[in-house]
Amino acid sequence: MVQPLSEETLREAFTAWREVDGREVAFKVGLSPHRARFAQEAAALRRVGPPTVPELLQHGTAGGRPFLVLEALRGQTLAAWMATLPGTGAA
C-alpha cells in the first residue's frame, strides 16, 4: 500500500510498507532524471545520519527514475513548528 506524502516539480514522496519486514518507510521518487541530485542527498543522509536525519535504507534507480527509501518519521513540518513561535517565527 502506498500513500502520497507530497508532490513537487522534482520528486514525489509516499509512505509505503516494505514487503520484507512490513516496516513503514518514506519513498521519494524523482519525476525527471535528477540522479546526481538524489545521489548527493543520499550521500548527505549517510554523512549526517540518525537521529539528526532519517535513516537512509536504500537508494538507486528504477525505470530510469532515481529513488530514496528512508525511515518514516511522524511529526510536524519545520514550517508548522516555526509558525507556533512568537514574533516572526524565527528560532
Side-chain angles (χ1 to χ4, degrees):
M1 181 174 179
V2 175
Q3 297 175 341
L5 284 175
S6 70
E7 184 177 330
E8 297 177 8
T9 56
L10 299 178
R11 62 144 178 99
E12 292 177 312
F14 304 90
T15 55
W17 288 262
R18 293 194 312 184
E19 290 182 2
V20 177
D21 58 9
R23 182 178 182 179
E24 184 180 10
V25 296
F27 184 66
K28 292 171 65 173
V29 181
L31 294 177
S32 57
H34 293 282
R35 289 184 196 141
R37 185 177 182 135
F38 270 67
Q40 288 174 341
E41 184 173 347
L45 288 164
R46 267 193 242 98
R47 234 182 351 267
V48 176
T52 306
V53 297
E55 179 183 4
L56 176 64
L57 303 170
Q58 185 178 356
H59 78 282
T61 58
R65 294 172 64 184
F67 70 87
L68 300 171
V69 180
L70 307 163
E71 165 189 20
L73 301 177
R74 295 285 171 209
Q76 62 187 13
T77 65
L78 177 60
W81 175 75
M82 289 181 71
T84 66
L85 297 175
T88 62

